[in-house]
Amino acid sequence: MKKTIIGVMGPGANATETDLENAYELGQLIAQEGWVLLTGGRNAGVMDAASKGAKFANGLTIGVLPTNDTSAVSDAVDIAIVTDMGNARNNINVLSSDVVIACGMGAGTASEIALALKNHKKVILLTNHPESKAFFQSLSEDSILIANTPAAAIEMVRGVLTDRH
Amino acid sequence: MKKTIIGVMGPGANATETDLENAYELGQLIAQEGWVLLTGGRNAGVMDAASKGAKFANGLTIGVLPTNDTSAVSDAVDIAIVTDMGNARNNINVLSSDVVIACGMGAGTASEIALALKNHKKVILLTNHPESKAFFQSLSEDSILIANTPAAAIEMVRGVLTDRH
Amino acid sequence: MKKTIIGVMGPGANATETDLENAYELGQLIAQEGWVLLTGGRNAGVMDAASKGAKFANGLTIGVLPTNDTSAVSDAVDIAIVTDMGNARNNINVLSSDVVIACGMGAGTASEIALALKNHKKVILLTNHPESKAFFQSLSEDSILIANTPAAAIEMVRGVLTDRH
Amino acid sequence: MKKTIIGVMGPGANATETDLENAYELGQLIAQEGWVLLTGGRNAGVMDAASKGAKFANGLTIGVLPTNDTSAVSDAVDIAIVTDMGNARNNINVLSSDVVIACGMGAGTASEIALALKNHKKVILLTNHPESKAFFQSLSEDSILIANTPAAAIEMVRGVLTDRH
């Protein structure tokens, strides 16, 4: 039976120290809940840190890769989905996730949040980027939740999953 | 030889009256410059209005459709590219455009702006949505231009095309 | 109003002399009928030859490119659709074509024929590869037509377009 | 660390009784080897039977779905990757598989074999469709292996995986 998948989206090379710490903790907490972690799969930034956190807690990790270059995959990814479709794979990331957590901000992450909203998914923002909160809440007040810590984000995921049933 | 393609992106069903008027005028001006217009191709909102404006000025119009349902294509589209890949086609829209103009705002449009920035394309915002301007400028100050009228947007496109040569 | 688009699919680097001559003639004949030519867009093999034939006859040419590398586009392509999705773009090629002509054979071309059949499109084979005819006719006798010359292929396209109306 | 993924591709609604029996046995054997099974994910034909076989042997199953309709997913799929990109997802199926096994034949399966060859993957054909063997061997003698039983196919997968290291 289909497992619950939580997507963690965030910057690669431009992730901040705080983004990386949050991503690692998110991965760990997601694994502890028994959920599967889905990321963009590369060995960089939030994708890599979240996957490492999940593996530390013995979770299962999916990486949806933009290119056909499997040397770019994070060591902490168990299941590599090779799309070779560049940033168009961002739509697959959000469609495959029961809930999306955006950890940090950048153009790629913004596209994933926007695609998630377009596809009627709930998105939890874990960022202290004030323009992001204002913008995405203006697009869809109901579907954007704001978290200040990884633990709060996980609590919100639990709420979204419960509401669906 | 490859023609210059200008993408006009904007809401479908949720376009405002102002968005539709701006889109029609943008289409007309793009055609008058001898450029090809590219939109999301559906018979709704900004896509439809821009295509109609371009046809009124005898331009060539491309529509990159999200579904395999050709009954949903705008009457004013000459060349229908049928992707059947939903919102992942938004990445094709921006990659195929020399410059992107965002006319109005919504989750789909936001994803196109973000994907354009991720792919190092210039984006001209024609919107009076204040949170959009603040957010996208915070993502990439250099690549976001703000226009107040269709004519100003076209002037900016000319500038971007000149700078590239 | 949506123009009629005829797709010509065939090998790139591995095209034979006969494939290239046939492709050039197909492009020319398609343009003379007033149809738009769609190919895979690269400056190689059947894609390039067909596009050149169409331009010689003042036709309009679309190239649906697999990568984001616009230096690889054929000089004879007017409208470059940049997908950056590798061979997955083969599905867009066939969905966007009213009728598909396969000129020559190879793994990529075979995938396009198979995807066309899966999407209920008619495919005209212009090849002297005996295993291809036997195989694709075994998959779908009704949807595969065999032509021996470019002129015969164009005659078959006319028949398919007439039957649809 | 990235797990080994074996793709089993085959018809949905048009699968024969033999295809379904072979697919179930393939799924079981793949799971017993400790490999992950990847299929097209729908609750029909070879995809469904292979996934059920793998779950019977406590394996892990990935389904790469063509649509956004999660009611169409097989009950035996653990990880649903939702692409919403129709048959273009066939390219993801083969790129994500270390080895591809084609179980039965049809237009969709043929597209997956051709895309696998285009992407330099080894393909094992488990079918008694004579035109398929002749055709795909004519495309690439080195990359096509012919198996007569599920056990023989698994033996060939082992050989391919060993050769790579």
Side-chain angles (χ1 to χ4, degrees):
Chain A
M1 216 191 67
K2 190 181 167 323
K3 293 178 196 286
T4 296
I5 298 180
I6 307 302
V8 174
M9 311 294 149
N14 298 319
T16 65
E17 261 320 299
T18 306
D19 293 341
L20 297 176
E21 286 167 23
N22 284 341
Y24 189 91
E25 193 178 341
L26 282 170
Q28 214 176 332
L29 294 170
I30 285 168
Q32 283 166 5
E33 295 284 334
W35 301 326
V36 174
L37 173 71
L38 184 149
T39 71
R42 291 194 298 114
N43 52 1
V46 162
M47 300 170 265
D48 193 46
S51 301
K52 282 178 175 153
K55 289 314 296 177
F56 182 79
N58 295 312
L60 183 67
T61 55
I62 316 285
V64 181
L65 294 164
T67 70
N68 195 2
D69 172 13
T70 47
S71 74
V73 62
S74 164
D75 288 343
V77 161
D78 296 316
I79 307 290
I81 302 296
V82 180
T83 69
D84 195 23
M85 55 193 279
N87 295 305
R89 74 87 153 78
N90 294 1
N91 200 46
I92 299 180
N93 292 357
V94 299
L95 286 171
S96 303
S97 299
D98 291 282
V99 183
V100 171
I101 305 175
C103 175
M105 190 53 57
T109 308
S111 76
E112 284 161 325
I113 300 170
L115 288 166
L117 295 178
K118 182 74 180 169
N119 290 304
H120 309 293
K121 298 273 178 182
K122 299 282 184 186
V123 180
I124 297 163
L125 296 190
L126 178 59
T127 173
N128 45 28
H129 189 250
E131 294 90 348
S132 301
K133 298 178 197 175
F135 175 63
F136 287 112
Q137 286 192 315
S138 78
L139 281 187
S140 173
E141 210 173 341
D142 290 351
S143 297
I144 292 285
L145 302 162
I146 309 283
N148 291 315
T149 64
I154 296 301
E155 189 57 42
M156 287 171 183
V157 173
R158 253 192 245 116
V160 173
L161 294 175
T162 306
D163 285 354
R164 287 196 323 182
H165 297 302
Chain B
M1 217 191 66
K2 189 180 165 328
K3 293 178 196 286
T4 297
I5 298 180
I6 307 303
V8 174
M9 311 295 149
N14 298 319
T16 65
E17 260 321 299
T18 306
D19 294 339
L20 297 175
E21 285 167 24
N22 284 342
Y24 188 91
E25 195 178 340
L26 282 170
Q28 216 176 330
L29 294 169
I30 285 167
Q32 283 166 6
E33 296 284 334
W35 301 326
V36 174
L37 173 70
L38 184 148
T39 70
R42 292 193 297 114
N43 52 1
V46 162
M47 300 170 265
D48 192 47
S51 301
K52 282 179 175 151
K55 289 315 296 176
F56 181 79
N58 294 313
L60 183 67
T61 55
I62 317 283
V64 181
L65 294 165
T67 70
N68 195 2
D69 172 13
T70 47
S71 75
V73 63
S74 164
D75 287 344
V77 161
D78 296 317
I79 307 290
I81 302 296
V82 180
T83 70
D84 195 22
M85 56 193 278
N87 295 305
R89 74 83 153 80
N90 294 2
N91 200 47
I92 299 180
N93 292 357
V94 299
L95 286 170
S96 303
S97 299
D98 291 281
V99 184
V100 171
I101 305 175
C103 175
M105 190 53 57
T109 307
S111 76
E112 284 160 325
I113 300 169
L115 288 165
L117 294 178
K118 181 76 181 167
N119 290 304
H120 309 292
K121 298 274 178 182
K122 300 281 185 187
V123 180
I124 297 163
L125 297 191
L126 179 59
T127 173
N128 45 28
H129 189 250
E131 294 90 347
S132 301
K133 298 177 197 175
F135 174 64
F136 288 112
Q137 286 193 314
S138 77
L139 281 188
S140 172
E141 209 172 341
D142 289 352
S143 297
I144 292 286
L145 302 161
I146 309 283
N148 291 314
T149 64
I154 295 301
E155 190 57 42
M156 288 171 182
V157 172
R158 254 194 244 115
V160 172
L161 294 174
T162 306
D163 285 353
R164 289 197 320 184
H165 298 300
Chain C
M1 214 191 67
K2 189 183 165 324
K3 293 178 194 287
T4 296
I5 297 179
I6 308 302
V8 174
M9 311 294 149
N14 298 318
T16 66
E17 261 319 300
T18 306
D19 293 341
L20 296 176
E21 286 166 24
N22 284 341
Y24 188 92
E25 194 178 340
L26 282 170
Q28 216 176 330
L29 293 169
I30 285 167
Q32 283 166 6
E33 296 284 335
W35 301 325
V36 174
L37 173 70
L38 183 148
T39 70
R42 291 193 298 114
N43 53 0
V46 162
M47 299 170 266
D48 192 47
S51 301
K52 282 178 174 152
K55 288 315 297 176
F56 182 78
N58 295 313
L60 183 67
T61 55
I62 316 284
V64 181
L65 294 164
T67 69
N68 194 2
D69 172 13
T70 47
S71 74
V73 63
S74 165
D75 287 343
V77 160
D78 296 316
I79 307 290
I81 302 295
V82 180
T83 70
D84 195 23
M85 57 192 277
N87 295 305
R89 74 85 153 78
N90 294 1
N91 199 48
I92 299 180
N93 292 357
V94 300
L95 286 171
S96 303
S97 299
D98 290 283
V99 184
V100 171
I101 305 175
C103 176
M105 190 53 58
T109 309
S111 75
E112 283 161 325
I113 300 170
L115 288 166
L117 295 177
K118 181 75 181 170
N119 290 305
H120 309 293
K121 297 274 178 181
K122 300 280 185 186
V123 181
I124 297 164
L125 296 191
L126 179 60
T127 173
N128 45 28
H129 189 251
E131 293 90 347
S132 301
K133 298 177 197 174
F135 174 64
F136 287 112
Q137 286 192 315
S138 78
L139 280 188
S140 172
E141 210 172 342
D142 289 352
S143 297
I144 293 286
L145 302 161
I146 310 283
N148 291 314
T149 63
I154 296 300
E155 189 57 42
M156 287 170 182
V157 172
R158 254 192 244 115
V160 172
L161 295 175
T162 307
D163 286 354
R164 288 198 320 186
H165 296 301
Chain D
M1 216 190 65
K2 189 182 166 325
K3 293 177 194 286
T4 296
I5 297 180
I6 308 303
V8 174
M9 311 292 150
N14 298 318
T16 66
E17 261 319 300
T18 305
D19 294 341
L20 297 176
E21 285 166 24
N22 284 342
Y24 189 91
E25 194 178 339
L26 282 170
Q28 216 176 330
L29 293 169
I30 284 167
Q32 283 166 5
E33 296 283 335
W35 300 326
V36 174
L37 173 70
L38 184 149
T39 70
R42 291 193 297 114
N43 52 1
V46 162
M47 300 171 266
D48 192 46
S51 301
K52 283 179 175 152
K55 288 316 295 176
F56 181 79
N58 294 313
L60 183 68
T61 55
I62 316 285
V64 181
L65 294 165
T67 69
N68 195 2
D69 172 13
T70 47
S71 74
V73 63
S74 165
D75 287 343
V77 160
D78 296 317
I79 306 291
I81 302 295
V82 180
T83 70
D84 195 23
M85 56 192 279
N87 295 304
R89 75 82 153 81
N90 294 0
N91 200 47
I92 298 179
N93 292 356
V94 300
L95 286 170
S96 303
S97 299
D98 290 281
V99 184
V100 171
I101 305 175
C103 175
M105 191 52 58
T109 308
S111 76
E112 283 160 326
I113 300 169
L115 288 166
L117 295 177
K118 182 75 181 169
N119 289 304
H120 309 293
K121 297 274 178 181
K122 300 281 184 186
V123 181
I124 297 164
L125 296 190
L126 179 60
T127 173
N128 45 28
H129 188 250
E131 294 90 348
S132 302
K133 298 177 197 175
F135 175 64
F136 287 113
Q137 286 192 314
S138 77
L139 281 188
S140 172
E141 211 172 339
D142 290 351
S143 296
I144 292 285
L145 302 161
I146 309 282
N148 291 314
T149 64
I154 296 302
E155 190 57 42
M156 288 171 182
V157 173
R158 255 192 244 115
V160 173
L161 294 175
T162 306
D163 286 355
R164 289 196 321 183
H165 297 301

